[in-house]
Amino acid sequence: GLTRHSFTCPSSCSESQLDTEATVTIVKEILHMHSHGRRIVNQVVRHDSVVHESYIDYYDFDQTAGPSQANPPFQFNRGDEFRTICYY
């Protein structure tokens, strides 16, 4: 089976770095891992709910070293957090 590791940029980070009314529109995501990576998931979490998720289910570093995701633009607000889950 695969090993899973989760990284979080907590809501306290966006609260301290973004203005009170700040909303950031993200227009492009590039999910990247190194040679042992097999799957990656990136989430935006708002008030304990996932409001955006992108993923690569079959990651091959030799074939896809940094593909951008074909997702529509999405919003990242003050107080949101990023959660990235890597499988290897």
Side-chain angles (χ1 to χ4, degrees), residues 66-78:
S68 63
Q69 297 306 104
N71 293 328
F74 61 95
Q75 304 297 313
F76 185 81
N77 299 326
R78 185 176 192 267

Side-chain angles (χ1 to χ4, degrees), residues 41-58:
V41 178
N42 194 51
Q43 301 172 329
V44 174
V45 180
R46 182 175 301 141
H47 307 295
D48 296 321
S49 296
V50 175
V51 296
H52 170 81
E53 181 175 80
S54 60
Y55 55 88
I56 299 174
D57 277 331
Y58 305 102

Side-chain angles (χ1 to χ4, degrees), residues 10-81:
S11 60
S12 59
C13 181
S14 66
E15 287 173 353
S16 69
Q17 298 300 313
L18 295 176
D19 292 333
T20 303
E21 300 299 321
T23 296
V24 177
T25 300
I26 298 175
V27 297
K28 187 174 188 177
E29 271 181 288
I30 298 176
L31 303 180
H32 177 80
M33 294 186 293
H34 290 261
S35 62
H36 288 86
R38 294 294 172 251
R39 181 174 189 260
I40 187 169
V41 178
N42 194 51
Q43 301 172 329
V44 174
V45 180
R46 182 175 301 141
H47 307 295
D48 296 321
S49 296
V50 175
V51 296
H52 170 81
E53 181 175 80
S54 60
Y55 55 88
I56 299 174
D57 277 331
Y58 305 102
Y59 190 87
D60 181 348
F61 181 78
D62 293 329
Q63 299 295 318
T64 57
S68 63
Q69 297 306 104
N71 293 328
F74 61 95
Q75 304 297 313
F76 185 81
N77 299 326
R78 185 176 192 267
D80 287 354
E81 66 181 53

